[in-house]
Amino acid sequence: MARLGYERYSAHGSDWGTSITMSMGQHAPEWLVEIHLSPPIAAPDPDTFHDLTAREQGAIDALKHTEEWESGYSAEQSTKLQTLGYALVDSPAGQCAWIVEKFRKWMESMATPRMYSVATNYSTT
């Protein structure tokens, strides 16, 4: 960023970008004004779990649910990457199902008709 002429800047990172953004903060703190991570890298401290608000307990419960029921894609991608890659490249229906399932879960607040629109748009391209 300094080579581009920026003296101070902010950075945001998600997914793998959290690690990159953290590294930027560690290696250039004099230039980096702030960082924003999604999701945060710091895990909650289990020693503080005895005194959680209802909202905090709900966040912990959601995190546990996601770890148990929604992280299979990550295990699949990290252990059977070639199998998954060939399957998605060779099957438009499989790829559509994969993408729509991710949209459905990651954007639960979106209305169902929107999901049909995603599937329709994908299947007609």
Side-chain angles (χ1 to χ4, degrees):
M1 295 298 287
R3 288 190 318 217
L4 295 173
Y6 295 98
E7 294 179 15
R8 304 280 288 162
Y9 52 90
S10 300
H12 166 76
S14 64
D15 202 60
W16 275 100
T18 56
S19 298
I20 294 166
T21 302
M22 286 290 295
S23 180
M24 289 171 66
Q26 293 167 338
H27 294 293
E30 65 279 7
W31 296 321
L32 202 56
V33 175
E34 62 190 355
I35 64 172
H36 179 263
L37 307 175
S38 175
I41 287 181
D45 181 359
D47 291 339
T48 64
F49 285 8
H50 66 279
D51 191 27
L52 298 176
T53 66
R55 186 173 180 184
E56 290 168 333
Q57 185 60 55
I60 297 295
D61 293 344
L63 190 61
K64 288 178 183 176
H65 173 83
T66 298
E67 184 179 339
E68 185 175 345
W69 293 101
E70 302 299 335
S71 62
Y73 79 96
S74 182
E76 182 73 21
Q77 289 175 333
S78 66
T79 61
K80 307 289 187 226
L81 185 59
Q82 288 294 89
T83 304
L84 182 61
Y86 285 121
L88 294 178
V89 166
D90 197 41
S91 173
Q95 189 175 51
C96 182
W98 179 268
I99 291 170
V100 168
E101 191 275 332
K102 297 297 161 255
F103 270 101
R104 182 197 59 78
K105 187 58 189 169
W106 294 343
M107 299 179 190
E108 284 182 331
S109 64
M110 294 180 74
T112 302
R114 174 77 175 128
M115 290 314 307
Y116 291 128
S117 175
V118 169
T120 302
N121 287 341
Y122 183 82
S123 64
T124 59
T125 56

